[in-house]
Amino acid sequence: QVHLVESGGGSVQPGGSLRLSCAASGNTASSYMAWFRQEPGKEREGVAAITSISSTAYEDSVKGRFTISKDNAKNTLYLQMTSLKPEDTAMYYCAAGFSGIWVAQWHQSRRYKYWGQGTQVTVSS
């Protein structure tokens, strides 16, 4: 069993930065993890993912702006977000326990077993 708790969300102006954290209980060193986001009335969207050997994948709209990383010693997943845009506004969720073919399916929310409660990111002037 893995318990995930996100933090670090908030309100920023366009062009600003935030770093999200996801503290995990249990050993997640071997778990493939990811960040998703969801706007009201829309499907949950994969933003970035990382494997147990730190290979990464990103949704096209965040490439070059967001960086996913993890600290296995602290059992913590991070999402560094820079050059934030209003369209990045959403609830951001941490996920773990991927099952499937990662290269093709990392962005599919149904592939993840464990979820955090989310942290809100609002980008507005």
Side-chain angles (χ1 to χ4, degrees), residues 5-79:
V5 179
E6 302 96 334
S7 61
S11 295
V12 295
Q13 293 187 340
S17 299
L18 283 173
R19 188 176 82 155
L20 305 184
S21 298
C22 172
S25 66
N27 188 345
T28 57
S30 62
S31 178
Y32 289 19
M33 301 182 72
W35 288 99
F36 283 74
R37 64 187 179 188
Q38 188 171 25
E39 297 175 69
K42 294 187 177 181
E43 291 190 0
R44 198 165 291 190
E45 169 188 55
V47 175
I50 190 166
T51 70
S52 58
I53 57 171
S54 295
S55 296
T56 58
Y58 296 92
E59 193 269 329
D60 285 347
S61 70
V62 308
K63 286 180 180 177
R65 300 190 298 122
F66 291 11
T67 303
I68 189 171
S69 62
K70 61 177 180 172
D71 186 330
N72 290 330
K74 295 182 179 180
N75 274 345
T76 302
L77 180 72
Y78 301 101
L79 185 68

